[in-house]
PDB file of all heavy atoms in Angstrom:
ATOM      1  N   ALA X  94     -10.358  -0.737  -4.801  1.00 97.00           N
ATOM      2  CA  ALA X  94     -11.294   0.321  -5.239  1.00 97.00           C
ATOM      3  C   ALA X  94     -10.956   1.625  -4.563  1.00 97.00           C
ATOM      4  O   ALA X  94     -10.998   2.692  -5.180  1.00 97.00           O
ATOM      5  CB  ALA X  94     -12.742  -0.102  -4.956  1.00 97.00           C
ATOM      6  N   ARG X  95     -10.635   1.569  -3.275  1.00 96.00           N
ATOM      7  CA  ARG X  95     -10.237   2.805  -2.533  1.00 96.00           C
ATOM      8  C   ARG X  95      -9.006   3.430  -3.141  1.00 96.00           C
ATOM      9  O   ARG X  95      -8.921   4.647  -3.347  1.00 96.00           O
ATOM     10  CB  ARG X  95     -10.020   2.454  -1.079  1.00 96.00           C
ATOM     11  CG  ARG X  95      -9.618   3.661  -0.204  1.00 96.00           C
ATOM     12  CD  ARG X  95      -8.168   3.522   0.145  1.00 96.00           C
ATOM     13  NE  ARG X  95      -7.730   4.607   1.052  1.00 96.00           N
ATOM     14  CZ  ARG X  95      -6.590   5.256   0.902  1.00 96.00           C
ATOM     15  NH1 ARG X  95      -5.816   4.974  -0.106  1.00 96.00           N
ATOM     16  NH2 ARG X  95      -6.262   6.185   1.754  1.00 96.00           N
ATOM     17  N   GLU X  96      -8.039   2.597  -3.525  1.00 92.00           N
ATOM     18  CA  GLU X  96      -6.794   3.126  -4.124  1.00 92.00           C
ATOM     19  C   GLU X  96      -7.136   3.793  -5.488  1.00 92.00           C
ATOM     20  O   GLU X  96      -6.592   4.885  -5.754  1.00 92.00           O
ATOM     21  CB  GLU X  96      -5.790   2.009  -4.325  1.00 92.00           C
ATOM     22  CG  GLU X  96      -5.299   1.381  -3.000  1.00 92.00           C
ATOM     23  CD  GLU X  96      -4.738   2.350  -2.001  1.00 92.00           C
ATOM     24  OE1 GLU X  96      -4.225   3.437  -2.375  1.00 92.00           O
ATOM     25  OE2 GLU X  96      -4.794   2.063  -0.788  1.00 92.00           O
ATOM     26  N   PHE X  97      -7.918   3.160  -6.293  1.00 94.00           N
ATOM     27  CA  PHE X  97      -8.322   3.738  -7.579  1.00 94.00           C
ATOM     28  C   PHE X  97      -9.083   5.074  -7.347  1.00 94.00           C
ATOM     29  O   PHE X  97      -8.818   6.073  -8.045  1.00 94.00           O
ATOM     30  CB  PHE X  97      -9.207   2.812  -8.389  1.00 94.00           C
ATOM     31  CG  PHE X  97      -8.454   1.663  -9.059  1.00 94.00           C
ATOM     32  CD1 PHE X  97      -9.080   0.463  -9.208  1.00 94.00           C
ATOM     33  CD2 PHE X  97      -7.167   1.822  -9.547  1.00 94.00           C
ATOM     34  CE1 PHE X  97      -8.423  -0.609  -9.835  1.00 94.00           C
ATOM     35  CE2 PHE X  97      -6.488   0.762 -10.138  1.00 94.00           C
ATOM     36  CZ  PHE X  97      -7.112  -0.445 -10.290  1.00 94.00           C
ATOM     37  N   ALA X  98     -10.004   5.069  -6.390  1.00 95.00           N
ATOM     38  CA  ALA X  98     -10.798   6.278  -6.121  1.00 95.00           C
ATOM     39  C   ALA X  98      -9.931   7.420  -5.649  1.00 95.00           C
ATOM     40  O   ALA X  98     -10.111   8.530  -6.101  1.00 95.00           O
ATOM     41  CB  ALA X  98     -11.906   5.916  -5.141  1.00 95.00           C
ATOM     42  N   VAL X  99      -9.051   7.164  -4.723  1.00 92.00           N
ATOM     43  CA  VAL X  99      -8.173   8.240  -4.221  1.00 92.00           C
ATOM     44  C   VAL X  99      -7.236   8.721  -5.282  1.00 92.00           C
ATOM     45  O   VAL X  99      -7.007   9.950  -5.419  1.00 92.00           O
ATOM     46  CB  VAL X  99      -7.400   7.786  -2.927  1.00 92.00           C
ATOM     47  CG1 VAL X  99      -6.338   8.765  -2.564  1.00 92.00           C
ATOM     48  CG2 VAL X  99      -8.377   7.574  -1.785  1.00 92.00           C
ATOM     49  N   THR X 100      -6.737   7.818  -6.112  1.00 89.00           N
ATOM     50  CA  THR X 100      -5.892   8.242  -7.243  1.00 89.00           C
ATOM     51  C   THR X 100      -6.699   9.138  -8.213  1.00 89.00           C
ATOM     52  O   THR X 100      -6.194  10.150  -8.663  1.00 89.00           O
ATOM     53  CB  THR X 100      -5.311   6.998  -7.978  1.00 89.00           C
ATOM     54  OG1 THR X 100      -4.504   6.283  -7.074  1.00 89.00           O
ATOM     55  CG2 THR X 100      -4.503   7.418  -9.175  1.00 89.00           C
ATOM     56  N   GLY X 101      -7.927   8.719  -8.484  1.00 91.00           N
ATOM     57  CA  GLY X 101      -8.784   9.560  -9.338  1.00 91.00           C
ATOM     58  C   GLY X 101      -9.055  10.919  -8.733  1.00 91.00           C
ATOM     59  O   GLY X 101      -9.007  11.940  -9.440  1.00 91.00           O
ATOM     60  N   LEU X 102      -9.317  10.969  -7.436  1.00 92.00           N
ATOM     61  CA  LEU X 102      -9.545  12.226  -6.727  1.00 92.00           C
ATOM     62  C   LEU X 102      -8.299  13.118  -6.875  1.00 92.00           C
ATOM     63  O   LEU X 102      -8.409  14.322  -7.176  1.00 92.00           O
ATOM     64  CB  LEU X 102      -9.810  11.968  -5.252  1.00 92.00           C
ATOM     65  CG  LEU X 102      -9.907  13.223  -4.339  1.00 92.00           C
ATOM     66  CD1 LEU X 102     -11.106  14.044  -4.725  1.00 92.00           C
ATOM     67  CD2 LEU X 102      -9.985  12.725  -2.892  1.00 92.00           C
ATOM     68  N   ARG X 103      -7.096  12.536  -6.703  1.00 88.00           N
ATOM     69  CA  ARG X 103      -5.889  13.329  -6.839  1.00 88.00           C
ATOM     70  C   ARG X 103      -5.701  13.855  -8.255  1.00 88.00           C
ATOM     71  O   ARG X 103      -5.235  14.956  -8.430  1.00 88.00           O
ATOM     72  CB  ARG X 103      -4.697  12.474  -6.408  1.00 88.00           C
ATOM     73  CG  ARG X 103      -4.589  12.281  -4.915  1.00 88.00           C
ATOM     74  CD  ARG X 103      -3.320  11.562  -4.542  1.00 88.00           C
ATOM     75  NE  ARG X 103      -3.086  11.672  -3.138  1.00 88.00           N
ATOM     76  CZ  ARG X 103      -2.775  10.662  -2.341  1.00 88.00           C
ATOM     77  NH1 ARG X 103      -2.639   9.466  -2.852  1.00 88.00           N
ATOM     78  NH2 ARG X 103      -2.571  10.868  -1.046  1.00 88.00           N
ATOM     79  N   LEU X 104      -6.075  13.036  -9.231  1.00 89.00           N
ATOM     80  CA  LEU X 104      -5.951  13.526 -10.639  1.00 89.00           C
ATOM     81  C   LEU X 104      -6.875  14.681 -10.916  1.00 89.00           C
ATOM     82  O   LEU X 104      -6.501  15.660 -11.563  1.00 89.00           O
ATOM     83  CB  LEU X 104      -6.277  12.368 -11.603  1.00 89.00           C
ATOM     84  CG  LEU X 104      -5.215  11.255 -11.679  1.00 89.00           C
ATOM     85  CD1 LEU X 104      -5.713  10.113 -12.522  1.00 89.00           C
ATOM     86  CD2 LEU X 104      -3.906  11.799 -12.234  1.00 89.00           C
ATOM     87  N   ILE X 113      -3.214  16.920  -3.347  1.00 81.00           N
ATOM     88  CA  ILE X 113      -3.768  16.287  -2.133  1.00 81.00           C
ATOM     89  C   ILE X 113      -2.653  15.398  -1.573  1.00 81.00           C
ATOM     90  O   ILE X 113      -2.355  14.353  -2.174  1.00 81.00           O
ATOM     91  CB  ILE X 113      -5.029  15.488  -2.428  1.00 81.00           C
ATOM     92  CG1 ILE X 113      -6.108  16.439  -2.997  1.00 81.00           C
ATOM     93  CG2 ILE X 113      -5.503  14.787  -1.169  1.00 81.00           C
ATOM     94  CD1 ILE X 113      -7.372  15.701  -3.427  1.00 81.00           C
ATOM     95  N   SER X 156     -10.195   5.825   5.814  1.00 96.00           N
ATOM     96  CA  SER X 156      -9.275   6.746   5.171  1.00 96.00           C
ATOM     97  C   SER X 156      -9.824   7.203   3.811  1.00 96.00           C
ATOM     98  O   SER X 156      -9.650   8.360   3.428  1.00 96.00           O
ATOM     99  CB  SER X 156      -7.877   6.128   5.013  1.00 96.00           C
ATOM    100  OG  SER X 156      -7.881   5.068   4.091  1.00 96.00           O
ATOM    101  N   GLY X 157     -10.457   6.302   3.089  1.00 95.00           N
ATOM    102  CA  GLY X 157     -11.053   6.676   1.821  1.00 95.00           C
ATOM    103  C   GLY X 157     -12.161   7.729   2.015  1.00 95.00           C
ATOM    104  O   GLY X 157     -12.194   8.723   1.263  1.00 95.00           O
ATOM    105  N   ALA X 158     -13.010   7.502   2.988  1.00 96.00           N
ATOM    106  CA  ALA X 158     -14.097   8.472   3.267  1.00 96.00           C
ATOM    107  C   ALA X 158     -13.486   9.813   3.687  1.00 96.00           C
ATOM    108  O   ALA X 158     -13.934  10.877   3.229  1.00 96.00           O
ATOM    109  CB  ALA X 158     -14.984   7.930   4.387  1.00 96.00           C
ATOM    110  N   TYR X 160     -10.538  11.154   2.824  1.00 93.00           N
ATOM    111  CA  TYR X 160     -10.009  11.798   1.658  1.00 93.00           C
ATOM    112  C   TYR X 160     -11.134  12.530   0.869  1.00 93.00           C
ATOM    113  O   TYR X 160     -10.971  13.662   0.465  1.00 93.00           O
ATOM    114  CB  TYR X 160      -9.314  10.801   0.695  1.00 93.00           C
ATOM    115  CG  TYR X 160      -7.879  10.587   1.022  1.00 93.00           C
ATOM    116  CD1 TYR X 160      -7.472   9.452   1.727  1.00 93.00           C
ATOM    117  CD2 TYR X 160      -6.896  11.457   0.551  1.00 93.00           C
ATOM    118  CE1 TYR X 160      -6.139   9.231   2.016  1.00 93.00           C
ATOM    119  CE2 TYR X 160      -5.553  11.234   0.836  1.00 93.00           C
ATOM    120  CZ  TYR X 160      -5.171  10.128   1.559  1.00 93.00           C
ATOM    121  OH  TYR X 160      -3.846   9.935   1.824  1.00 93.00           O
ATOM    122  N   PHE X 161     -12.235  11.838   0.683  1.00 93.00           N
ATOM    123  CA  PHE X 161     -13.307  12.418  -0.104  1.00 93.00           C
ATOM    124  C   PHE X 161     -14.090  13.497   0.642  1.00 93.00           C
ATOM    125  O   PHE X 161     -14.427  14.538   0.088  1.00 93.00           O
ATOM    126  CB  PHE X 161     -14.246  11.322  -0.636  1.00 93.00           C
ATOM    127  CG  PHE X 161     -13.716  10.668  -1.818  1.00 93.00           C
ATOM    128  CD1 PHE X 161     -12.887   9.560  -1.758  1.00 93.00           C
ATOM    129  CD2 PHE X 161     -13.981  11.170  -3.121  1.00 93.00           C
ATOM    130  CE1 PHE X 161     -12.339   8.969  -2.873  1.00 93.00           C
ATOM    131  CE2 PHE X 161     -13.459  10.596  -4.248  1.00 93.00           C
ATOM    132  CZ  PHE X 161     -12.608   9.467  -4.142  1.00 93.00           C
TER     133      PHE X 161
END
Side-chain angles (χ1 to χ4, degrees):
R95 180 252 185 225
E96 297 304 333
F97 284 147
V99 169
T100 298
L102 173 66
R103 285 186 167 133
L104 290 172
I113 299 175
S156 68
Y160 272 99
F161 279 89

